[in-house]
Amino acid sequence: MKSKSLVGFFMVFLLILSCKDEPVIPKPKAKMRLEYPQGKLADLETENFSFKYNQLAEAEPNGDQAYTISYPEMKGAIFLSYKKVDGNLSQLIHDSKRLSYEHAAKADNIVEQPYVNPNEKVYGALFEVQGNAASQSQFFVTDSTEHFLTGSVYFYSRPNYDSILPAASYLQNDIRSIIETLRWKNK
């Protein structure tokens, strides 16, 4: 009898041991792959300058010498502001750089990329802000004598650099296109 109880106890013991659940293995974090179509270029003409912008965006005047290029699908925009140079070029450049570097408190890094096109008299810089700053890109361009244009990218959401990086990169490419196709109008 003792052997039957010992066998029964052993069977119950094996049954309990064999019923363990498999260990939980966490799945790797998934990342969304956001792709945006490359739009054709459209012209924006003002009395002081012209440039080509992505036709998938909506360009509209936004006050006196200011323009907004909206990207509703991305919930973002490029804001442009034009100023006439009147012996104040150093101050305009200083103010533009100061605004860009004000994001340094929240940014991980700010990369300044100079731009020079002597044939079209377009000189300036593009600032790429990396990190959870309010704006991921700013720029300024000038002809050094009459015209000065600044621009900034903003999204209509709380900045989370990892989440908006694909859209920020897309808009940064559109800014490069704006700068490269910019033509000043002399009166």
Side-chain angles (χ1 to χ4, degrees):
M1 221 19 163
K2 207 174 187 187
S3 69
K4 283 187 177 181
S5 338
L6 189 57
V7 170
F9 176 76
F10 187 72
M11 294 288 271
V12 170
F13 182 73
L14 285 177
L15 184 64
I16 291 173
L17 283 179
S18 67
C19 290
K20 280 190 173 178
D21 290 336
E22 290 293 317
V24 176
I25 300 173
K27 294 180 181 178
K29 290 185 178 181
K31 297 189 182 202
M32 280 181 36
R33 183 178 175 133
L34 298 175
E35 292 183 4
Y36 301 103
Q38 188 60 39
K40 294 180 181 175
L41 296 178
D43 293 317
L44 179 84
E45 295 275 339
T46 74
E47 64 184 61
N48 296 301
F49 60 88
S50 67
F51 62 79
K52 296 185 182 300
Y53 70 96
N54 188 335
Q55 75 175 11
L56 298 175
E58 300 167 3
E60 55 193 43
N62 185 19
D64 187 36
Q65 301 295 321
Y67 305 87
T68 302
I69 302 174
S70 299
Y71 296 79
E73 184 180 324
M74 293 179 212
K75 297 181 182 168
I78 300 172
F79 296 94
L80 303 171
S81 180
Y82 173 83
K83 294 187 183 341
K84 205 78 164 136
V85 173
D86 189 20
N88 59 348
L89 181 61
S90 296
Q91 187 62 45
L92 291 170
I93 292 172
H94 174 76
D95 290 347
S96 182
K97 285 185 175 186
R98 181 180 50 81
L99 288 173
S100 295
Y101 283 101
E102 279 182 357
H103 296 285
K106 294 280 186 181
D108 296 332
N109 190 22
I110 298 177
V111 178
E112 183 176 343
Q113 303 165 13
Y115 182 80
V116 177
N117 181 347
N119 293 336
E120 298 298 333
K121 296 182 181 171
V122 179
Y123 312 97
L126 170 64
F127 301 90
E128 177 186 349
V129 181
Q130 300 166 344
N132 292 333
S135 175
Q136 279 62 49
S137 299
Q138 296 88 38
F139 74 93
F140 73 87
V141 287
T142 182
D143 68 349
S144 302
T145 57
E146 292 182 54
H147 307 288
F148 193 84
L149 181 68
T150 61
S152 300
V153 169
Y154 286 94
F155 291 94
Y156 306 119
S157 64
R158 186 179 183 135
N160 181 346
Y161 188 64
D162 291 340
S163 297
I164 62 173
L165 183 59
S169 296
Y170 185 87
L171 294 186
Q172 196 170 83
N173 286 332
D174 281 4
I175 285 176
R176 283 189 181 94
S177 178
I178 289 170
I179 293 171
E180 290 169 359
T181 62
L182 183 73
R183 302 297 179 259
W184 304 114
K185 294 183 180 177
N186 294 322
K187 294 181 181 178

